[in-house]
Amino acid sequence: MPTLVINAPLFGDMFGTTTMRARFSDDAMMTHYLEVWRGLARAQARLGVIPAAAGEAIERVLSLPDLLTQLDHPQLAARTQIVGYPILPLLEQLVPLVPNDHGQALHWGATTQDIMDTADVLQARAGLDEVDAQLARIATALADLAQAHARTAMAGRTHLQHALPVSFGFKCATWLAAIDRHRARLADLRPRLEVVQFAGAAGTLASLKGEGLAVQHGLARELRLGVPAITWHTLRDGFAETTGLLALVAGTLGKIGFDIMLMMQTETGEVLEPFVEGRGASSTMPQKRNPIASEVMVAMAKLVREQHSAMLDALVQDHERATGPWHVEWHALPSAFVLTSAALQAAAATLEGLEVRPDAMADGLARTGGLIVAEAVMMGLAPTIGRQVAHDVVYACCRRALAGERAFVDALLDDAQIAAAFSRAQIEALVDPAHYLGEAPEMVARLLAARKPS
């Protein structure tokens, strides 16, 4: 296997989208560092903390479109290995590029973590934009399926056994409700995550001699970020909450993928993933159509959970600057975004083209000869012979039917109490699964009516 599957040429597109990997690439990371430094220079120049000429020179050089290509990347990597962080090595190369010694004003009053944390926030903001767009796409597909199949009856299952009839639209609507909740959580999270980090060496902004908070506000305004109530160098709950959201999203997508895999089993065949020539094929069994996208969704749920677990561990940090836990974020946070993007991509493509097979759903409902609606028979009999008596009578009839002694309808009519109260036509109506969807169609309609436009 490759060292890191999310970036492997063979596997990469199964474990993350191209756009999300690009958002968390080395170039993207350094581009955000430059963005933070430009914003800092503008804010400080406006406040007179650094000379206006220095601010303009820093802005001009750090905005050069080919700036990253001018850097000595092997030297940058070598120095980062020695220093432990990339900020000082970058400054060593950037400061000389700013003319007239104005580069000395670059990074004024900041500390390494200020630049890295704020850049991480900018990356996460962009990542959440992609997550939200994909969630909206999935929600639209699920709303369409729920609307179209609100009354398409299928077997509901508990403990992997037939329980009672549901509609396929009802199942899709339950998935949709979770996706909508995740979108609401994402929107609610943003103000807590999307805040600037600018606090100096120990978080007190002492080096700026009374101008620190003004610079902090100015930088936040330049980057369109919020201002934190207080320094958060070793309080990482915003990032941990973000991976928590991603883990929830991936977990829901894993549940959807698991349901689709089960419905795709040969013995069931109620839905199929969209057909793509060769997708899900076997190297030796030509008949196979494996649930590849659903498998990805299930796998990503497990992997994103582990990234969130690491982020929770990294919350435990010492004093005003961590000795190690911060490094955990450098792996876990980007990985969580990239892996979640894979699940989102797989889910969107699958749900938009899902092949729904109502005939197979009807066959599944009919497989037990009406046993799936034994509750309906019991409740239909209860007003006449009493609920507990009805339960015991129907239970005995179910046992006979399951043992293969009699068809369920015949077993019911063999009972004198039932035969005295109901005709065969009435019993056959009671055991028709399509007549026992309960409030499922109305629940679907209520959910769809209450949803806010994307």
Side-chain angles (χ1 to χ4, degrees):
M1 295 301 293
T3 25
L4 194 59
V5 72
I6 60 177
N7 288 325
L10 280 178
F11 294 99
D13 287 343
M14 289 179 63
F15 284 78
T17 62
T18 301
T19 53
M20 193 66 86
R21 284 200 304 273
R23 293 188 197 281
F24 288 90
S25 66
D26 280 4
D27 280 358
M29 175 187 70
M30 288 189 285
T31 297
H32 285 303
Y33 293 161
L34 299 179
E35 183 180 358
V36 177
W37 274 320
R38 287 197 305 270
L40 180 59
R42 287 194 298 270
Q44 291 179 330
R46 186 180 304 113
L47 291 166
V49 174
I50 65 172
E56 291 170 3
I58 291 169
E59 173 81 20
R60 186 165 54 252
V61 171
L62 268 56
S63 298
L64 293 173
D66 61 343
L67 179 59
L68 292 182
T69 65
Q70 296 183 37
L71 301 179
D72 184 339
H73 288 270
Q75 174 68 6
L76 181 59
R79 290 285 293 144
T80 298
Q81 292 294 315
I82 294 170
V83 175
Y85 309 96
I87 298 304
L88 178 58
L90 267 172
L91 288 170
E92 290 171 346
Q93 296 193 38
L94 292 173
V95 168
L97 297 178
V98 183
N100 301 321
D101 211 28
H102 287 315
Q104 298 302 318
L106 180 58
H107 194 69
W108 194 263
T111 194
T112 287
Q113 194 169 352
D114 289 339
I115 307 305
M116 293 181 67
D117 277 354
T118 303
D120 286 347
V121 168
L122 296 176
Q123 280 186 300
R125 179 171 68 184
L128 288 178
D129 289 343
E130 181 172 335
V131 169
D132 192 44
Q134 289 287 67
L135 285 173
R137 182 181 165 193
I138 290 167
T140 297
L142 286 173
D144 291 344
L145 288 167
Q147 181 76 53
H149 295 283
R151 294 186 176 276
T152 302
M154 66 177 297
R157 298 174 174 94
T158 60
H159 302 278
L160 291 179
Q161 307 293 310
H162 276 204
L164 292 172
V166 298
S167 73
F168 181 63
F170 172 79
K171 183 182 286 286
C172 292
T174 64
W175 299 341
L176 172 60
I179 297 299
D180 284 345
R181 289 192 293 272
H182 293 325
R183 295 195 71 198
R185 290 184 181 105
L186 191 155
D188 186 55
L189 158 70
R190 285 188 182 273
R192 291 187 292 276
L193 170 71
E194 296 173 9
V195 294
V196 75
Q197 177 76 283
F198 182 73
T204 63
L205 286 168
S207 65
L208 289 177
K209 301 175 182 177
E211 296 286 353
L213 291 178
V215 172
Q216 186 184 74
H217 278 76
L219 175 59
R221 187 164 52 250
E222 291 289 341
L223 300 176
R224 295 180 295 109
L225 294 174
V227 177
I230 200 166
T231 303
W232 52 276
H233 281 155
T234 50
L235 284 304
R236 316 300 287 178
D237 52 287
F239 288 138
E241 186 179 2
T242 301
T243 55
L245 168 70
L246 298 177
L248 287 170
V249 168
T252 294
L253 298 179
K255 186 273 189 289
I256 294 171
F258 198 21
D259 279 354
I260 291 173
M261 285 196 295
L262 292 172
M263 288 187 286
M264 276 186 69
Q265 290 182 104
T266 304
E267 296 83 356
T268 309
E270 293 168 333
V271 301
L272 293 173
E273 288 185 2
F275 177 76
V276 177
E277 185 71 35
R279 183 168 179 81
S282 165
S283 62
T284 186
M285 295 173 284
Q287 83 280 7
K288 294 298 292 295
R289 186 170 169 183
N290 294 322
I292 297 300
S294 297
E295 291 173 5
V296 168
M297 292 153 67
V298 171
M300 295 310 105
K302 301 175 187 297
L303 292 173
V304 179
R305 178 195 66 202
E306 293 308 305
Q307 308 314 307
H308 179 52
S309 176
M311 289 292 288
L312 291 176
D313 201 7
L315 285 173
V316 184
Q317 302 199 3
D318 47 296
H319 296 309
E320 282 65 57
R321 185 83 67 228
T323 50
W326 189 26
H327 297 64
V328 174
E329 291 182 12
W330 304 353
H331 170 83
L333 186 61
S335 296
F337 270 103
V338 174
L339 294 166
T340 302
S341 74
L344 289 163
Q345 176 176 252
T350 297
L351 294 168
E352 286 174 346
L354 192 68
E355 187 177 324
V356 183
R357 307 175 78 194
D359 289 346
M361 294 175 180
D363 289 344
L365 282 170
R367 187 164 295 139
T368 60
L371 284 171
I372 193 170
V373 284
E375 180 189 80
V377 177
M378 180 189 74
M379 295 307 294
L381 294 171
T384 302
I385 64 176
R387 186 201 174 281
Q388 190 58 46
V389 173
H391 174 275
D392 294 343
V393 168
V394 173
Y395 182 85
C397 293
C398 289
R399 301 283 71 75
R400 293 185 67 196
L402 287 167
E405 296 175 13
R406 294 283 277 167
F408 184 44
V409 170
D410 293 332
L412 290 167
L413 289 170
D414 286 345
D415 184 275
Q417 295 180 86
I418 297 176
F422 294 93
S423 68
R424 173 174 285 272
Q426 289 173 313
I427 291 295
E428 288 175 344
L430 283 175
V431 299
D432 183 349
H435 294 164
Y436 205 65
L437 288 177
E439 305 287 348
E442 288 71 22
M443 288 182 184
V444 172
R446 182 179 65 184
L447 174 72
L448 294 177
R451 293 185 71 240
K452 296 177 182 178
S454 297

